C-alpha cells in the first residue's frame, strides 16, 4: 500500500469513515507530517483513495496475534 512506502511508516490501516470518506491510521517510528504523507501518496492513488483524515500513532496497530482489527479502528476513527 502506498501509505507504508515512506521509511518512517511501519503499518497503515485504511477504513471508510462516514464523514471523511477514506480515513487512515498510520503507525510510525519517527515524526511524520500528515500533509507530507498525503502529498507522498497522492501521485500513486486515485482521488477517491487518498485519505482525507490520517491519524498518526506510535503504538502498534496489530494485536498480539498479529492481526489488524479494522472494526476497532473504524470505531475509534469515527469517534474522533
Amino acid at each position: 500500500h502506498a501509505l507504508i512506502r515512506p521509511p518512517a511508516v511501519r503499518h497503515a490501516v485504511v477504513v471508510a469513515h462516514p464523514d471523511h470518506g477514506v480515513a487512515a491510521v498510520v503507525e510510525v517510528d519517527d515524526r511524520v507530517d500528515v500533509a507530507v504523507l498525503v502529498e507522498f501518496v497522492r501521485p500513486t492513488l486515485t482521488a477517491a483513495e487518498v485519505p482525507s483524515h490520517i491519524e498518526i500513532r506510535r503504538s502498534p496497530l496489530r494485536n498480539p496475534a498479529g492481526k489488524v482489527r479494522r472494526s476497532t479502528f473504524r470505531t475509534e476513527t469515527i469517534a474522533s
Side-chain angles (χ1 to χ4, degrees):
H1 191 276
L3 284 170
I4 61 170
R5 288 190 184 133
V9 177
R10 294 181 52 181
H11 298 287
V13 176
V14 178
V15 295
H17 189 285
D19 297 327
H20 299 292
V22 176
V25 181
V26 180
E27 177 187 340
V28 298
D29 288 328
D30 291 323
R31 188 176 180 140
V32 173
D33 184 289
V34 171
V36 172
L37 184 57
V38 169
E39 290 308 312
F40 183 87
V41 301
R42 190 178 302 280
T44 61
L45 299 174
T46 67
E49 294 172 326
V50 175
S52 57
H53 176 76
I54 298 178
E55 179 182 332
I56 303 294
R57 291 189 180 182
R58 291 191 183 274
S59 59
L61 300 181
R62 297 181 181 274
N63 66 18
K67 304 282 185 180
V68 173
R69 300 283 184 202
R70 279 186 169 68
S71 60
T72 303
F73 295 108
R74 192 174 295 115
T75 303
E76 290 175 2
T77 304
I78 290 171
S80 64

